[in-house]
Amino acid sequence: MHENRETSKVPATKHRGRTAGEGDSRTARVYIFEESDSGIVPVNHSNKNGKPGAESEEGRPLIKENTHQPNTYPTQSENRVSQGLTGVRKAARENKEMKFTALLHHMTIDLLRESFYSLKRKASPGVDGVRWKEYEPGLEGQLIDLHRRVHRGAFRATPSRRVYIEKEDGRKRPLGIAALEDKIVQQAVVTILNQIYEEDFLGFSYGFRPGRSQHQALDALSYALLRRKVNYVLDADIRGFFDNLDKSWLIKFVEHRVADPRILRLIQKWLNAGVMEEGKWSETTTGTPQGSVITPLTQKVILAVWAFGSSVLGQT
């Protein structure tokens, strides 16, 4: 899976902002590039007809390793980011130990608007009962109000609506459907934090990352199996990962890179909002709702910090 259930694409940002460590500046629409970190990045080759990316009669074409190919931006939809977030991305790339203390000012009305339009139009509503098509009329006024509430600290997270989906083995997986405004703000936070963590994630990581897909992961795996000496393949899964996630440890992991108390407070609000099931509210002492916009990023943050050192764990 490379996308969240609630989002249809990665939002672009066009707002004005400040680059990291600099004052106000005019907005420039520029691409963000990154280098893969010791990973295999798939590159589709042309087939006999000269059509790039086309599949031959023998199946998907083999890819070659390219550790310097940009792997998130630009995407097929040519998403672009603001100069302010470009500065965040650049600072995160150049200093792996930097903690970002001022991030919320990047959450502009433009970013909230683009986050709204990146959500799936026909997604199920949360406990607020508000659907995408019902929120769109009068959107600008509602986004202005939402923006003000977020920045003055008055935004309140709404409990997630608990639903269940059946798994192949007959068990039921709990999902948490967030309220629409929670989805919008969560998507905006994810867009901001992605500028930092996309510089930390390893090149061979594909899950829930902008501009990457399960097909690219399969291509990279195919290349490794056919072109390298592979002695074994390990298939591992963390049982009940989202259900048993320790909230306090999650915040500690996020704090390794993010020191903006307002961003941290937003994440804590969502973690502590609880769930509504059949009209009854219940507190969630552990775990984070599956199916929400921000949940996949929290998983990747934990794995990223783990990947970059036991020293971080020792310090916390």
Side-chain angles (χ1 to χ4, degrees), residues 181-200:
E181 287 194 339
D182 284 289
K183 295 176 185 178
I184 296 171
V185 180
Q186 285 181 13
Q187 182 60 59
V189 170
V190 168
T191 301
I192 294 170
L193 296 186
N194 268 339
Q195 311 313 312
I196 300 171
Y197 291 109
E198 280 298 309
E199 294 300 326
D200 292 349

Side-chain angles (χ1 to χ4, degrees), residues 150-164:
V150 169
H151 281 267
R152 71 171 186 263
F155 175 80
R156 299 184 63 182
T158 305
S160 298
R161 183 168 67 89
R162 175 63 57 84
V163 296
Y164 296 89

Side-chain angles (χ1 to χ4, degrees), residues 41-47 51-55 60-64 69 76 215-216 219:
V41 179
V43 179
N44 287 331
H45 294 280
S46 300
N47 64 359
K51 298 181 179 179
E55 296 184 7
R60 300 182 65 84
L62 286 178
I63 48 86
K64 69 177 181 179
Q69 180 189 354
Q76 289 182 348
H215 299 296
Q216 291 175 320
D219 281 345

Side-chain angles (χ1 to χ4, degrees), residues 231-262:
N231 296 322
Y232 62 90
V233 175
L234 176 64
D235 180 14
D237 185 26
I238 302 176
R239 179 180 298 174
F241 177 85
F242 293 110
D243 298 331
N244 299 294
L245 190 64
D246 188 290
K247 297 178 182 179
S248 61
W249 271 105
L250 171 59
I251 295 299
K252 290 180 181 180
F253 280 114
V254 175
E255 288 177 293
H256 177 60
R257 285 291 247 168
V258 178
D260 187 331
R262 298 172 298 175

